[in-house]
Amino acid sequence: MAPHPDDETLGCGGLLALLRRAGQPVAAVLVSDGSMSHPASKLFPAPARQAVREAEFHHALRILGLAEGAPLLLGLPDGQVPGTASEPGFVPAVARLREFLEIHKATTVLVPWRRDPHPDHRATSQLVQAALAVLPHSPRRIEYVVWAWQRAAPEDLPTAADAVRGFRLDIGTVTALKQRAIAAHRSQVAPGVFTDDPAGFLLSDEMLAHFAIPYEVFFEALSHESESA
């Protein structure tokens, strides 16, 4: 479950590549349309930015080994992903997620850390939580870290009340593959694609350094936690 194109690679690209090398089926969901990284671009209006970023998403998935099966593209507004049932788009998005999970007989769901400090990441966590709550058998829920590496406040970090088990996964054998997949998101790494919006977002060298290390960090929700959170 990727809030934006690139989160799938940054947060859990190594795990995805290892799963595919082990012959495990993996299906992907892109939650937002990804169009707001460079909102002032005139050369690339919002639909063009969305198309570029979705193409990068597909490219990165192929590099990681997810060449089979079409990902689910929810197309929710970047920066305004609904996180509660009272917000427009939340209920139909939950229904589509539930259907996708049922079709793929999901046994494990990878989702951003519930308090990852980006509103779309937190909203994605809420969407997934709502979808899992209505499944007859809830999959394992494993949460990955993206923005918490740089922006987490103390209250964003896991506590005993979260009922999660943290662990670190060795991805040394696929680190180079993950770097290739990050580079596939050309609009998000310098020099970028949407160059007529110099104030737009690019992943900084400091940020990228967190995702060049040979391991990934995850938090697994303990038994029944995802149903009661």
Side-chain angles (χ1 to χ4, degrees):
M1 304 289 177
H4 312 97
D6 72 10
D7 290 319
E8 79 297 328
T9 302
L10 297 172
C12 56
L15 175 53
L16 299 183
L18 289 172
L19 288 169
R20 292 303 299 130
R21 284 193 173 184
Q24 296 298 313
V26 181
V29 176
L30 176 57
V31 175
S32 81
D33 61 24
S35 65
M36 290 301 288
S37 66
H38 293 75
S41 175
K42 303 299 183 185
L43 295 175
F44 294 86
R49 297 195 299 270
Q50 178 177 351
V52 167
R53 297 209 65 193
E54 287 180 358
E56 293 172 346
F57 180 69
H58 286 285
H59 186 193
L61 291 180
R62 288 194 298 271
I63 291 171
L64 296 172
L66 282 70
E68 299 179 1
L72 172 62
L73 307 178
L74 290 179
L76 295 171
D78 188 357
Q80 300 180 49
V81 173
T84 65
S86 62
E87 296 177 71
F90 184 90
V91 172
V94 168
R96 293 181 68 190
L97 284 174
R98 176 186 178 179
E99 180 183 26
F100 190 78
L101 292 169
E102 289 177 332
I103 289 172
H104 288 278
K105 298 180 172 61
T107 58
T108 301
V109 173
L110 302 173
V111 64
W113 166 241
R114 63 196 68 179
R115 290 191 297 280
D116 206 42
H118 188 297
D120 286 346
H121 290 218
R122 298 187 183 204
T124 295
S125 176
Q126 294 299 316
L127 285 167
V128 173
Q129 178 177 304
L132 295 181
V134 292
L135 290 176
H137 303 287
S138 186
R140 293 173 67 191
R141 173 173 165 165
I142 297 179
E143 303 176 41
Y144 60 83
V145 175
V146 178
W147 282 107
W149 286 110
Q150 281 196 310
R151 298 182 178 178
E155 59 269 22
D156 297 329
L157 302 176
T159 68
D162 292 310
V164 296
R165 176 181 67 91
F167 64 93
R168 193 168 78 172
L169 177 70
D170 182 352
I171 63 164
T173 60
V174 293
T175 301
L177 202 64
K178 176 171 177 171
Q179 292 305 299
R180 283 180 54 206
I182 291 174
H185 291 282
R186 293 179 56 240
S187 69
Q188 305 302 293
V189 296
V193 172
F194 312 126
T195 54
D196 64 324
D197 181 5
F201 173 79
L202 291 175
L203 289 160
S204 68
D205 290 342
E206 181 184 8
M207 181 70 168
L208 287 168
H210 292 295
F211 304 104
I213 54 180
Y215 61 83
E216 290 173 341
V217 172
F218 299 97
F219 300 101
E220 180 174 5
L222 301 180
S223 179
H224 304 304
E225 191 281 330
S226 64
E227 299 173 9
S228 60

